[in-house]
Amino acid sequence: MTFMARAIELGRYAQGTTSPNPPVGAVIVKDGKVVSEGWTQPPGGQHAEAMALELASVLARGATLYTTLEPCTHFGRTPPCCDAIIKARLAEVYVATVDPNPNVQGGGIDRLNQAGIATHMEERNPDARELIEAFAKHSSTGMPFVIAKFAMSLDGKISTRTGDSKWISGEESRAYVHELRKQSDAILVGINTVLADDPLLTARDENGSALPQQPLRVIVDSHGRTPKAAKLLTQPGQTLIATADGTSGDRSATVETLTFPSSDGRVDLAALLQTLGERDITSVFVEGGGTILGSLFDQALVHKVVAFVSPVIIGGDKAMSPVGGLGSERISDAFRLQDSRTMQFGQDVAIIGYCEGAADVHRNS
């Protein structure tokens, strides 16, 4: 493993815990050996570079820093990382990708070079870009990065004609979904999924136990039909129920209800996402069902797709497909994923790619 690959691995430790800051990994190397490592701490805590520098202490002098993101130059809750790097008298810095934040965008690299610290770019490392894709979207637009996830059979069904859907995908796929939940600031589903599956919507470890930190659960429930006994309402973490008519019912202190009316009597999804962005939710992981996914695609609000395909045939004219809504009138208007790749999970194949426009954010971050 290269030193930068290790830095990216460290950055992944921080995913889901740093918003609105980006998850970053850093490695300090001297004489070909790792001196210290760091990754972004929760808001108010150290940035990755500061953590690594503190652990390295005097050994940082004359050493090399590998960081997944350009060091910051501005004051936030913590001092600029560039100042700490210059003070530590590092010899050189390797950067995987430029910071898309308008307050930085190359300024960190320029500042280090001016201080006599040789700084090298790794030509927009794709793994490092993926690490900060939610931060890139949020910092440039104020909106969260939306990931649509679904699992379907080989013939494109998400359930049988009776509504049975457990389980189309295998254990390996479901374990990866929990990793994606962990990395996200929020999980979003529609009310039909809540009524049909009564899901927990928690990020869990390999033993099935809920993790200490949970993403916000967001339920799109236009007319307040979420049952008071729904399992997700009793899980650790916070829940937001988005309605169109203000119906809320009696809820606990961990459940908030907000109203987002639209002309068709449903929740205004764009307004909901805007509110989440204003609350520093940088990434939203959408787990369906077909109605909510169809609405998001119809409004071009999806940026990334994670689709699991399992080698099973369900059949049936009335069996549900993963994406409803109006859809495209012509094949030429259909969403075609860009920068796509596949991953194998047991017998399942996951197809991962970006919607047009979102791919540009991914490439340029």
Side-chain angles (χ1 to χ4, degrees):
M1 178 182 290
T2 67
F3 296 129
M4 187 60 78
R6 174 57 180 166
I8 290 170
E9 186 176 69
L10 292 168
R12 291 189 178 120
Y13 292 167
Q15 282 186 294
T17 67
T18 65
S19 290
N21 298 325
V24 178
V27 176
I28 294 178
V29 177
K30 195 168 189 178
D31 298 326
K33 296 182 179 179
V34 174
V35 172
S36 64
E37 300 178 333
W39 57 91
T40 312
Q41 300 301 297
Q46 289 179 312
H47 289 189
E49 303 95 322
M51 178 180 177
L53 287 168
E54 181 178 294
L55 292 173
S57 188
V58 296
L59 293 177
R61 183 172 181 176
T64 299
L65 169 68
Y66 293 83
T67 179
T68 60
L69 183 65
E70 176 185 10
C72 62
T73 58
H74 58 287
F75 280 88
R77 297 183 183 181
T78 58
C81 289
C82 276
D83 288 359
I85 292 169
I86 294 169
K87 183 178 180 180
R89 301 182 70 178
L90 285 162
E92 57 184 345
V93 175
Y94 284 83
V95 177
T97 189
V98 172
D99 192 332
N101 187 329
N103 292 322
V104 186
Q105 283 189 335
I109 293 172
D110 290 342
R111 186 165 180 177
L112 294 177
N113 283 328
Q114 291 168 7
I117 298 175
T119 307
H120 315 277
M121 282 296 303
E122 290 212 346
E123 297 301 324
R124 295 174 176 171
N125 184 300
D127 292 328
R129 294 201 309 267
E130 185 171 34
L131 193 61
I132 63 157
E133 60 193 10
F135 170 75
K137 178 67 177 179
H138 185 261
S139 64
S140 61
T141 68
M143 295 288 282
F145 188 79
V146 177
I147 303 172
K149 166 262 171 182
F150 53 85
M152 66 181 184
S153 63
L154 198 57
D155 57 336
K157 309 295 185 181
I158 60 171
S159 69
T160 67
R161 57 184 172 79
T162 64
D164 183 32
S165 61
K166 294 186 178 179
W167 295 100
I168 291 176
S169 58
E171 290 185 8
E172 295 93 338
S173 297
R174 299 198 296 275
Y176 184 60
V177 168
H178 281 286
E179 184 63 28
L180 295 176
R181 286 182 178 182
K182 174 187 172 183
Q183 296 172 3
S184 302
D185 293 341
I187 303 172
L188 185 148
V189 298
I191 182 59
N192 292 334
T193 295
V194 175
L195 296 175
D197 299 338
D198 197 15
L200 300 178
L201 294 187
T202 53
R204 301 188 288 278
D205 61 22
E206 62 273 11
N207 298 316
S209 300
L211 298 174
Q213 182 166 329
Q214 290 292 326
L216 173 70
R217 292 180 292 273
V218 181
I219 315 303
V220 179
D221 181 8
S222 295
H223 305 296
R225 295 187 292 153
T226 301
K228 295 180 181 180
K231 291 178 182 177
L232 61 88
L233 299 180
T234 64
Q235 300 306 303
Q238 302 291 313
T239 300
L240 171 65
I241 298 178
T243 74
D245 59 10
T247 305
S248 63
D250 296 328
R251 305 296 182 190
S252 70
T254 61
V255 181
E256 179 182 11
T257 300
L258 292 178
T259 303
F260 302 91
S262 66
S263 58
D264 62 1
R266 296 182 178 182
V267 168
D268 184 331
L269 295 176
L272 168 59
L273 292 173
Q274 182 176 351
T275 295
L276 293 177
E278 291 169 353
R279 295 186 174 198
D280 286 337
I281 297 294
T282 66
S283 58
V284 176
F285 189 57
V286 183
E287 296 202 52
T291 300
I292 195 70
L293 283 174
S295 295
L296 288 166
F297 275 108
D298 284 346
Q299 297 177 54
L301 295 174
V302 176
H303 306 113
K304 186 177 183 179
V305 174
V306 180
F308 296 90
V309 182
S310 185
V312 59
I313 305 294
I314 294 177
D317 292 337
K318 295 183 179 180
M320 295 286 290
S321 63
V323 179
L326 294 175
S328 302
E329 290 186 358
R330 299 174 298 179
I331 293 296
S332 60
D333 296 330
F335 285 94
R336 293 186 183 274
L337 299 187
Q338 303 176 14
D339 297 346
S340 62
R341 69 181 190 272
T342 60
M343 296 177 67
Q344 189 85 31
F345 296 96
Q347 295 189 47
D348 301 338
V349 174
I351 301 171
I352 303 169
Y354 297 85
C355 296
E356 187 176 0
D360 295 333
V361 173
H362 172 71
R363 293 190 195 104
N364 296 328
S365 59

